[in-house]
Amino acid sequence: MSNERTLSIIKPNATKDNNIGNIIARFEKEGLRIAAAKLTKLSKEKAEGFYIEHKERPFFNSLVNFMTSDLVVLMVLEGENAITRNREIMGATNPAEAAEGTLRKLYASGIEENAVHGSDSASSAEREISYFFEKNEIYDRF
Ligand code: GDP
């Protein structure tokens, strides 16, 4: 077991549906702590840079349009095995395949509008956290 930090995003469909509080409550209930948070609207450039690894995928432009369509909540979550725990709490990318009770099962409206993002590895978490947060914006919650 190790204490980790991971990047979480509450995506535009979930902020539009007023599910910010429900999603944050779930993270806290599961023992993850919010070490940084921002409510913001992503620019096209920022969203493109974030999803750069998907640049060649057919859904890239649609994904960028979706991610810039409304407000997002950017968060650093901290806790025991936070990267894996967050992915478990989120569920599968496609809500049709997500387990009962996962955030995507509860709050996604499709494979693209799937409510939440979570870093998928330690190296992604490091890149993604520093992409959105300065060091002095992240608080120690261990
Ligand atoms: P994640 O790590 O579970 O978020 O999944 P990926 O890294 O594979 O994909 C990034 C994001 O792209 C997903 O969370 C979805 O919002 C979107 N996405 C993934 N696959 C598809 C797809 O087949 N079609 C569309 N339209 N969007 C997708």
Side-chain angles (χ1 to χ4, degrees):
M1 298 284 266
S2 64
N3 280 306
E4 291 175 342
R5 285 176 171 167
T6 190
L7 184 85
S8 168
I9 305 178
I10 302 178
K11 295 186 179 184
N13 70 296
T15 63
K16 214 178 292 179
D17 292 344
N18 233 10
N19 281 318
I20 294 172
N22 287 328
I23 291 170
I24 290 178
R26 180 65 182 282
F27 289 138
E28 292 194 323
K29 192 166 164 242
E30 297 277 355
L32 296 174
R33 292 172 182 275
I34 297 168
K38 287 180 194 175
L39 176 69
T40 188
K41 191 156 186 218
L42 297 181
S43 66
K44 184 169 180 279
E45 293 67 30
K46 201 75 180 166
E48 284 175 347
F50 181 70
Y51 280 120
I52 196 71
E53 70 184 43
H54 294 309
K55 189 143 183 50
E56 303 308 323
R57 307 282 283 276
F59 57 82
F60 180 73
N61 287 338
S62 173
L63 177 61
V64 168
N65 282 339
F66 163 56
M67 289 301 290
T68 56
S69 66
D70 211 315
L71 298 176
V72 295
V73 181
L74 307 170
M75 291 180 287
V76 177
L77 303 178
E78 197 170 86
E80 288 287 321
N81 296 318
I83 298 166
T84 305
R85 280 299 294 132
N86 184 33
R87 297 284 298 185
E88 289 168 354
I89 295 164
M90 285 164 47
T93 307
N94 185 348
E97 292 161 12
E100 287 302 323
T102 58
L103 292 175
R104 282 169 164 170
K105 189 70 169 186
L106 290 167
Y107 303 121
S109 53
I111 191 167
E112 183 171 275
E113 301 201 353
N114 61 2
V116 280
H117 166 86
S119 310
D120 64 3
S121 66
S123 60
S124 300
E126 201 176 323
R127 177 187 91 84
E128 293 176 0
I129 289 169
S130 64
Y131 189 75
F132 288 119
F133 291 95
E134 301 293 333
K135 278 201 163 58
N136 67 4
E137 294 177 308
I138 306 170
Y139 296 88
D140 228 338
R141 301 292 311 279
F142 290 132

